[in-house]
Amino acid sequence: TSSDVLLLQMGWGDLGAFGEPSKETPNLDQMAAEGMLFLDFYTANPLCSPSRAALLTGRLPVRNGFYTTNGHARNAYTPQDIVGGIPDSELLLPELLKKAGYVNKIIGKWHLGHRPQFHPLKHGFDEWFGSPNCHFGPYDNRERPNIPVYRDWEMIGRYYEDFKIDLKTGEANLTQLYLQEALDFISKQQASQKPFFLYWAIDATHAPVYASKQFLGTSQRGLYGDAVREIDDSVGKILNHLQQLGISKDTFVFFTSDNGAALISAPTQGGSNGPFLCGKQTTFEGGMREPAIAWWPGHIPAGGVSHQLSNVMDLFSTSLSLAGLQPPSDRQIDGIDLLPVMLQGKLIDRPIFYYRGNELMAVRAGLYKAHYWTWSNSQEEHSKGIDFCPGQSVSGVTTHTQEEHTYLPLLFHLGRDPGEKFPLSFASEEYQRAVENISGLVQQHKATLVPGQPQLNVCDQAVMNWSPPGCEKLGKCLKAPESDPKKCSWPH
Amino acid sequence: TSSDVLLLQMGWGDLGAFGEPSKETPNLDQMAAEGMLFLDFYTANPLCSPSRAALLTGRLPVRNGFYTTNGHARNAYTPQDIVGGIPDSELLLPELLKKAGYVNKIIGKWHLGHRPQFHPLKHGFDEWFGSPNCHFGPYDNRERPNIPVYRDWEMIGRYYEDFKIDLKTGEANLTQLYLQEALDFISKQQASQKPFFLYWAIDATHAPVYASKQFLGTSQRGLYGDAVREIDDSVGKILNHLQQLGISKDTFVFFTSDNGAALISAPTQGGSNGPFLCGKQTTFEGGMREPAIAWWPGHIPAGGVSHQLSNVMDLFSTSLSLAGLQPPSDRQIDGIDLLPVMLQGKLIDRPIFYYRGNELMAVRAGLYKAHYWTWSNSQEEHSKGIDFCPGQSVSGVTTHTQEEHTYLPLLFHLGRDPGEKFPLSFASEEYQRAVENISGLVQQHKATLVPGQPQLNVCDQAVMNWSPPGCEKLGKCLKAPESDPKKCSWPH
């Protein structure tokens, strides 16, 4: 059975099937109607790089190294000047699938490090079309180079130069390129009868948001909605292609997101987290609960809905299971195999851990969520207009100082209060029962935790994408400045 | 064609089809899948009585008298001591339908006045099972009588006495009684081959929230969710009954709500307004945008979705149209006939007016909403813990003083910003274009507006439900105090 994982930045509330009021995602809604909707599905981190590392390793960022110790509970990722990346010691999903004869491709944003040793083709992928970093820019190629776009081992151009993104109109045809890559790859694998793993990691809904000309201005929701519509259309075409080729029954497809909608970019460049609190960068539900749809016609019953507490790391374990492989036994794997959930409707009892950098901020068990630390961002950042919770303010919850609640965690019942607005009374029996249970889970988790070497501590201008492999052929090599490694600055 | 209107207090975000994260409304979701979802459907007022008066008269509360002039922009309704009610001069939907041979029944909460002249059977209904007021209580029958339950002309008991509501456990079997009444009425009309209008105005999701024993504890969402589940189950049984009797193709059914979820009652007794701002009592989207589903198998195409700007007054005009009747021509009717929307997928250009008491607070045209006044509630009330926007606070928008914006309305684009968090810049061309358009609509509206005699100004302890008709037979007549009419106090 082949696997497609479709990953992007989108909020829980961005899909019609999840209650977006414009209801402009007919293909994703159809995917949900034909497959299974996961309503309690989480990412591993309220930020992109660590979540992607978690998906591909099946391990929490605190284990696989995708976090920082430069500050307490700081969100860190892989900007151009990051020195670290995915350690060789980590076993990635495509590395493992390769042993079962899979051909693996990544299309889109890698985000697990851009120095030579972190190249996706060194970590199990056979093909790559896309970029190592976000499509921020344009840059002047002096202080900072524009981000390269790779085909396999070599760069074939740079964003804003060879791959246009018009920041004024929001026009860029990248999603169409990514779509065509996906369709071609699927056709090729079908023709060669080889099982495949396609990681379609597109980024049109990540600021700066873009859409192709044919989608610009087509949404009620503005440019962000245009991007969502184009992605929705693309997902429809991918699923249709699988059906046309007659391999839909042999291909497991999962759609989800690496973090909640970035409300900081709202309203024109930011999505919706529906009824949930805050967004990207926070460990409130809006930052980490994700839209999620599993599709596998003939296997997963149509129209299913699951309340399984689940997360991106489960896609690691589930994909291995589909390939008939065992997860590595020499390390802690945080994912679980979701096949019993999808095929037999089982519910597996397991907690969800909400990490921000090096800190376990919150834990969910059943419908209860205990916050051990609360923080949106600093007063200083907030006063500059950086707001991860625009229009939302819950006293003592969306705090602008890091507040520790270790001895009396803030407890919410996410069934009655999905928006995390009404903490349960410390004095109630319900509180005591729930916190006792969660405390046990935390103790167990911490007792066995072996944190990985933090990869996101050191930044250096010299490691930016000055001269990626292949730059000579294109005359696009740039001169790197002197190496000057520093502690990266992570303000929130 | 018969008509069923199912009306209750529920928020936009309370249905699975509208993105409620527990997704516990399979029957309503199925109704939507078989019918048409209205995503931009509004009530006429952020409060119950005025919205119900608007539904039955097809006219804004400011025309039909369901408002107060005791204070500016105050929410008023029909508590027990209200002197006013629906004026005889108003023509109600059942009065008109009667002329076309319809048999009309109201089940549940009437709320259009409880003095003899306001009795629903004096205003076109042929049958009634339910109450004139909300099921608040229990009262001591000295300072305040318990609310009567009527069968047709006479009371047959009182809440908390003969119709039990256990406030401790939340148990009450009223929804089951209302369901049985509905099924029996439908069977009877089908047998007699008479067209009917059934107004199923249940109130289990109105605080104090209740559910029958079999539904207690069955929801992830607590007692409120139990009530929603019971209502969902009941709607499924009503639709199924219509199908079993073979009259579903001759029966138009519409499900909606009289105001947004009462967030003041959250989390245990309050629902969800999804991504929208604030709740009941406010003219933000959370107070007035409602879940709405039209169902008419064989006529309304299955799985339809409409963005028609529409409201409860349209149900008046649509029901008349279904009965082959013309709306009254001697008065202003605010509703429009939605049949072209539902049957031919048309979109009709019309604004939505958001009134609070005697004030036009806001107007929506297309995707733009202009606020002429903003107010959540007073600082004084808010400081007492009365919060219509818990966890939400948008600077300059959710104000605790009445703020006038007549000369520079606050403008939101509800497509890009359904949560009303990011007012458009006054200086933008987009702002100027949209406000110019809306200003024209407001001028036109105000120029022709003839406000009705306000019905909700005077309160008097003597008019409470002391001795409703039928009380003698039951030995349940109570002695009324001396008449002492006063201006009603409407704090928000």
Side-chain angles (χ1 to χ4, degrees):
Chain A
T1 301
S2 296
S3 292
D4 270 350
V5 171
L6 316 176
L7 185 83
L8 59 151
Q9 163 166 312
M10 206 183 259
W12 195 91
D14 274 329
L15 278 62
F18 287 81
E20 199 289 314
S22 303
K23 214 169 169 66
E24 293 178 336
T25 55
N27 294 289
L28 287 164
D29 296 355
Q30 179 69 18
M31 181 184 178
E34 294 171 7
M36 181 173 271
L37 211 53
F38 281 81
L39 293 166
D40 299 77
F41 190 93
Y42 291 85
T43 185
N45 206 265
L47 210 67
C48 40
S49 302
S51 294
R52 286 158 193 255
L55 188 155
L56 291 174
T57 60
R59 284 150 59 79
L60 282 165
V62 71
R63 296 192 216 272
N64 67 34
F66 266 66
Y67 71 105
T68 182
T69 51
N70 286 2
H72 177 249
R74 300 299 171 116
N75 289 320
Y77 69 108
T78 50
Q80 279 211 70
D81 56 350
I82 197 80
V83 171
I86 191 72
D88 280 339
S89 56
E90 289 297 319
L91 282 172
L92 269 64
L93 177 59
E95 291 180 77
L96 297 165
L97 290 175
K98 206 173 240 181
K99 293 180 192 157
Y102 276 65
V103 180
N104 307 303
K105 177 160 192 160
I106 167 172
I107 297 172
K109 186 165 79 165
W110 165 239
H111 235 210
L112 263 55
H114 55 278
R115 295 175 65 211
Q117 65 269 40
F118 306 128
H119 193 288
L121 272 56
K122 286 208 174 134
H123 291 269
F125 283 103
D126 300 294
E127 299 183 17
W128 182 23
F129 177 74
S131 286
N133 309 89
C134 283
H135 58 281
F136 293 132
Y139 299 117
D140 60 5
N141 281 341
R142 289 178 194 186
E143 288 238 345
R144 197 172 279 265
N146 277 317
I147 304 293
V149 176
Y150 280 74
R151 175 169 298 286
D152 302 330
W153 287 106
E154 297 188 346
M155 78 178 271
I156 53 171
R158 292 185 191 268
Y159 282 135
Y160 300 94
E161 299 171 17
D162 314 282
F163 294 87
K164 299 274 185 275
I165 301 171
D166 186 331
L167 292 187
K168 220 164 160 183
T169 62
E171 183 180 342
N173 70 342
L174 295 167
T175 301
Q176 292 304 313
L177 297 183
Y178 297 145
L179 170 61
Q180 199 52 54
E181 282 287 321
L183 299 178
D184 291 348
F185 175 73
I186 291 168
S187 297
K188 200 172 64 179
Q189 300 323 310
Q190 189 268 342
S192 69
Q193 302 270 308
K194 281 204 181 151
F196 64 89
F197 167 55
L198 170 61
Y199 176 41
W200 199 60
I202 56 168
D203 59 358
T205 46
H206 190 298
V209 169
Y210 60 79
S212 296
K213 190 161 194 174
Q214 70 203 91
F215 288 94
L216 282 181
T218 62
S219 166
Q220 289 195 0
R221 305 179 68 196
L223 181 56
Y224 183 88
D226 297 341
V228 170
R229 280 179 59 101
E230 183 167 12
I231 289 167
D232 176 72
D233 182 78
S234 300
V235 171
K237 288 190 168 126
I238 290 172
L239 300 186
N240 189 48
H241 193 58
L242 292 170
Q243 280 166 325
Q244 296 283 316
L245 293 177
I247 55 171
S248 61
K249 289 201 169 118
D250 305 314
T251 312
F252 169 75
V253 185
F254 203 92
F255 173 90
T256 191
S257 173
D258 59 350
N259 48 242
L263 302 184
I264 179 88
S265 307
T268 49
Q269 309 243 326
S272 165
N273 296 315
F276 298 124
L277 188 63
C278 301
K280 179 174 175 177
Q281 307 274 5
T282 78
T283 47
F284 301 111
E285 291 299 286
M288 291 185 56
R289 197 164 345 177
E290 306 303 334
I293 307 171
W295 185 90
W296 191 16
H299 302 273
I300 297 174
V305 168
S306 179
H307 284 290
Q308 173 65 46
L309 300 200
S310 42
N311 62 39
V312 288
M313 295 170 284
D314 300 342
L315 301 178
F316 174 91
S317 303
T318 306
S319 297
L320 289 181
S321 175
L322 283 165
L325 296 172
Q326 292 294 319
S329 56
D330 64 340
R331 63 196 69 206
Q332 181 72 43
I333 298 294
D334 295 290
I336 60 171
D337 180 1
L338 294 177
L339 288 185
V341 173
M342 296 186 288
L343 305 183
Q344 290 123 45
K346 292 214 170 132
L347 275 180
I348 301 163
D349 188 23
R350 66 93 73 97
I352 294 291
F353 296 105
Y354 303 69
Y355 269 90
R356 182 162 172 168
N358 59 350
E359 186 59 82
L360 178 63
M361 304 287 284
V363 177
R364 175 174 175 183
L367 287 165
Y368 293 101
K369 179 175 178 184
H371 288 269
Y372 291 91
W373 286 86
T374 52
W375 196 35
S376 51
N377 63 350
S378 70
Q379 195 58 60
E380 193 193 342
E381 292 272 301
H382 189 249
S383 68
K384 283 189 258 174
I386 297 172
D387 192 347
F388 301 144
C389 314
Q392 297 180 313
S393 170
V394 184
S395 173
V397 179
T398 55
T399 58
H400 290 291
T401 45
Q402 294 193 352
E403 295 293 332
E404 184 170 8
H405 309 277
T406 303
Y407 299 101
L408 271 182
L410 277 184
L411 187 74
F412 294 94
H413 184 282
L414 294 179
R416 300 194 298 265
D417 177 24
E420 293 168 284
K421 292 186 171 79
F422 306 96
L424 269 75
S425 162
F426 300 124
S428 69
E429 213 185 295
E430 184 183 8
Y431 177 93
Q432 283 162 21
R433 217 171 33 234
V435 166
E436 192 177 9
N437 174 40
I438 295 182
S439 295
L441 298 168
V442 170
Q443 270 183 358
Q444 207 178 324
H445 173 70
K446 291 202 166 170
T448 59
L449 180 70
V450 183
Q453 190 70 26
Q455 296 296 315
L456 309 178
N457 281 352
V458 184
C459 287
D460 186 348
Q461 296 236 2
V463 307
M464 294 204 281
N465 298 288
W466 301 106
S467 296
C471 69
E472 305 84 358
K473 293 184 201 159
L474 301 169
K476 283 196 174 272
C477 300
L478 300 167
K479 196 175 147 23
E482 290 281 290
S483 174
D484 178 21
K486 287 179 179 160
K487 274 176 117 172
C488 307
S489 157
W490 304 117
H492 33 252
Chain B
T1 301
S2 296
S3 290
D4 270 349
V5 171
L6 317 176
L7 186 82
L8 59 152
Q9 162 166 313
M10 206 185 259
W12 195 92
D14 274 330
L15 278 62
F18 288 80
E20 199 289 314
S22 303
K23 216 170 167 65
E24 294 178 336
T25 55
N27 293 289
L28 287 163
D29 297 354
Q30 178 70 17
M31 181 183 179
E34 293 170 8
M36 181 173 271
L37 210 54
F38 281 82
L39 293 166
D40 299 77
F41 189 93
Y42 291 85
T43 187
N45 205 265
L47 210 66
C48 39
S49 303
S51 294
R52 286 158 192 255
L55 187 156
L56 291 175
T57 61
R59 284 151 59 77
L60 282 165
V62 73
R63 295 192 215 274
N64 66 35
F66 266 66
Y67 70 106
T68 182
T69 52
N70 287 2
H72 178 249
R74 299 300 170 117
N75 289 319
Y77 69 108
T78 49
Q80 277 210 69
D81 56 350
I82 197 80
V83 170
I86 191 73
D88 279 339
S89 56
E90 290 296 320
L91 282 172
L92 270 63
L93 178 58
E95 290 181 78
L96 297 164
L97 290 175
K98 205 173 241 184
K99 294 179 192 159
Y102 276 64
V103 180
N104 308 304
K105 178 160 192 160
I106 166 172
I107 297 171
K109 185 165 78 164
W110 166 239
H111 235 212
L112 263 54
H114 56 279
R115 296 175 64 210
Q117 64 268 40
F118 306 129
H119 193 288
L121 272 56
K122 286 207 174 135
H123 291 268
F125 283 103
D126 300 295
E127 299 183 19
W128 182 23
F129 177 75
S131 286
N133 309 89
C134 283
H135 58 281
F136 293 133
Y139 299 118
D140 61 4
N141 282 340
R142 290 179 193 186
E143 287 237 347
R144 194 172 282 263
N146 277 316
I147 304 293
V149 175
Y150 280 74
R151 176 169 298 286
D152 302 330
W153 288 107
E154 298 188 346
M155 79 177 270
I156 53 170
R158 292 186 191 267
Y159 283 135
Y160 300 94
E161 299 171 15
D162 316 283
F163 295 88
K164 298 273 186 276
I165 302 171
D166 185 330
L167 293 185
K168 219 164 160 184
T169 62
E171 183 181 341
N173 70 340
L174 295 167
T175 302
Q176 292 304 313
L177 297 183
Y178 297 146
L179 169 61
Q180 198 53 53
E181 283 287 320
L183 300 178
D184 291 349
F185 175 72
I186 292 167
S187 297
K188 201 172 64 180
Q189 300 321 311
Q190 189 267 343
S192 69
Q193 302 270 310
K194 283 204 180 148
F196 64 89
F197 167 55
L198 171 61
Y199 177 40
W200 199 60
I202 55 167
D203 59 358
T205 47
H206 190 298
V209 170
Y210 60 79
S212 298
K213 190 160 194 176
Q214 70 204 91
F215 288 94
L216 282 181
T218 62
S219 165
Q220 288 195 1
R221 304 178 68 197
L223 181 57
Y224 183 88
D226 297 341
V228 171
R229 281 179 59 101
E230 183 167 13
I231 289 166
D232 176 72
D233 182 77
S234 300
V235 171
K237 289 192 168 124
I238 289 172
L239 300 185
N240 189 50
H241 193 58
L242 292 170
Q243 280 166 325
Q244 295 283 315
L245 293 177
I247 54 172
S248 60
K249 287 198 171 122
D250 306 314
T251 311
F252 170 75
V253 185
F254 203 93
F255 173 91
T256 190
S257 173
D258 59 350
N259 47 242
L263 302 184
I264 179 88
S265 308
T268 48
Q269 308 245 326
S272 165
N273 296 314
F276 298 124
L277 189 62
C278 301
K280 178 174 176 177
Q281 307 275 3
T282 79
T283 48
F284 301 111
E285 292 298 286
M288 291 185 55
R289 191 150 8 163
E290 305 303 334
I293 307 170
W295 186 89
W296 190 16
H299 302 272
I300 298 174
V305 169
S306 180
H307 283 290
Q308 174 64 46
L309 300 201
S310 42
N311 61 40
V312 290
M313 295 169 285
D314 300 342
L315 301 179
F316 174 90
S317 303
T318 305
S319 297
L320 289 181
S321 175
L322 283 166
L325 297 171
Q326 292 293 320
S329 57
D330 63 341
R331 64 197 68 206
Q332 181 71 43
I333 299 292
D334 295 290
I336 60 172
D337 180 1
L338 293 178
L339 288 186
V341 175
M342 295 185 289
L343 305 183
Q344 291 124 45
K346 292 213 171 132
L347 275 180
I348 301 163
D349 188 23
R350 66 94 73 96
I352 294 291
F353 297 105
Y354 303 69
Y355 269 90
R356 181 162 172 168
N358 58 350
E359 188 58 82
L360 179 63
M361 304 287 286
V363 178
R364 175 174 175 182
L367 286 166
Y368 294 101
K369 179 176 178 183
H371 288 268
Y372 292 91
W373 286 86
T374 51
W375 196 35
S376 52
N377 63 349
S378 70
Q379 195 58 61
E380 193 194 342
E381 292 271 302
H382 190 249
S383 68
K384 283 190 258 174
I386 296 171
D387 192 348
F388 300 144
C389 314
Q392 297 180 314
S393 170
V394 184
S395 175
V397 179
T398 55
T399 59
H400 290 291
T401 46
Q402 294 193 354
E403 295 293 332
E404 183 169 9
H405 310 278
T406 303
Y407 298 101
L408 271 182
L410 278 184
L411 187 73
F412 295 93
H413 185 282
L414 294 180
R416 302 195 297 265
D417 177 24
E420 294 168 285
K421 293 186 171 78
F422 306 96
L424 269 75
S425 163
F426 300 123
S428 69
E429 214 185 294
E430 183 183 10
Y431 177 92
Q432 283 161 23
R433 215 170 37 235
V435 166
E436 194 176 8
N437 173 40
I438 294 181
S439 295
L441 297 168
V442 170
Q443 268 181 0
Q444 207 177 320
H445 174 70
K446 291 201 167 170
T448 59
L449 180 69
V450 183
Q453 190 70 26
Q455 296 296 314
L456 309 179
N457 281 351
V458 184
C459 288
D460 186 348
Q461 297 237 0
V463 306
M464 295 204 281
N465 297 289
W466 300 107
S467 295
C471 70
E472 305 84 356
K473 293 184 202 160
L474 301 170
K476 282 195 175 272
C477 301
L478 300 167
K479 197 176 146 24
E482 290 280 292
S483 174
D484 179 20
K486 288 179 178 160
K487 277 176 114 173
C488 308
S489 156
W490 304 117
H492 35 252

